[in-house]
Amino acid sequence: MKLKSFDFNWILLLIALILGGISAWATKNYFIVKEQELRAELSKDNIQMTDVVVATQELRKGDIISQQNMSVRSIQADTLPLDAVPPSQFGQIEGQMLLEPMSPGRPLLSTYLPGHRISQFSDMLKVVFKFLCHFFKINQKEMIYDCTYI
């Protein structure tokens, strides 16, 4: 009695199906574990919240800060910008004009207020140019610096 030979393609198909099933099962389990980890991380009770001043309505550039358009809200401390205004400083900034527009619920940043803004690069260049003009006040034929526009 002669044994029928197996077709090699059927063997490869069977191996591919088994490996595909194993990889699908492993992927499903991986995502289940990751979802459980994320849920556990988000449901932690040790999330630190910080009170900040936020806008209660849409504010445009030039609007005046008051108790009618600002309120206090707790925000996660790790997602809070470093220059957010805490409620303890609201008395100092009340009545000041906004330099940037704000959406409702967004924290008030000190860079949105006059006098707290970071210098622009061009402002820093003027200071450097003044220093260089003073340093290189040379009346030579080769080197003439015009510092009159400052």
Side-chain angles (χ1 to χ4, degrees):
M1 182 167 160
K2 194 172 185 182
L3 290 173
K4 247 183 172 179
S5 66
F6 287 109
D7 190 9
F8 188 67
N9 290 334
W10 288 106
I11 294 173
L12 288 178
L13 178 64
L14 181 64
I15 292 171
L17 287 174
I18 291 171
L19 290 177
I22 291 171
S23 64
W25 174 81
T27 303
K28 178 184 161 218
N29 284 344
Y30 171 78
F31 283 122
I32 288 172
V33 168
K34 279 296 179 186
E35 181 183 7
Q36 290 171 349
E37 289 174 2
L38 286 173
R39 285 184 188 271
E41 183 178 327
L42 292 175
S43 66
K44 288 182 182 174
D45 294 333
N46 61 353
I47 295 176
Q48 185 178 7
M49 303 295 277
T50 303
D51 289 340
V52 292
V53 177
V54 297
T56 58
Q57 60 192 14
E58 189 76 27
L59 298 173
R60 296 173 304 203
K61 182 178 179 179
D63 286 349
I64 303 299
I65 297 172
S66 67
Q67 290 183 354
Q68 286 75 29
N69 56 20
M70 296 288 168
S71 68
V72 177
R73 177 177 167 197
S74 291
I75 298 179
Q76 285 184 1
D78 59 344
T79 62
L80 192 63
L82 294 176
D83 58 345
V85 176
S88 60
Q89 294 179 357
F90 186 75
Q92 300 168 2
I93 62 165
E94 189 173 12
Q96 291 187 14
M97 181 178 62
L98 277 176
L99 299 177
E100 298 290 331
M102 286 184 66
S103 301
R106 303 291 287 180
L108 177 63
L109 305 180
S110 62
T111 55
Y112 294 170
L113 304 171
H116 299 281
R117 181 164 266 221
I118 298 171
S119 299
Q120 295 178 348
F121 184 68
S122 60
D123 294 338
M124 291 187 288
L125 286 179
K126 288 179 185 177
V127 172
V128 170
F129 192 71
K130 282 182 184 180
F131 171 75
L132 290 176
C133 284
H134 179 70
F135 189 74
F136 290 110
K137 283 273 187 187
I138 299 172
N139 259 341
Q140 293 180 352
K141 293 178 186 174
E142 304 90 31
M143 302 173 80
I144 298 174
Y145 297 98
D146 185 15
C147 301
T148 56
Y149 81 92
I150 299 176

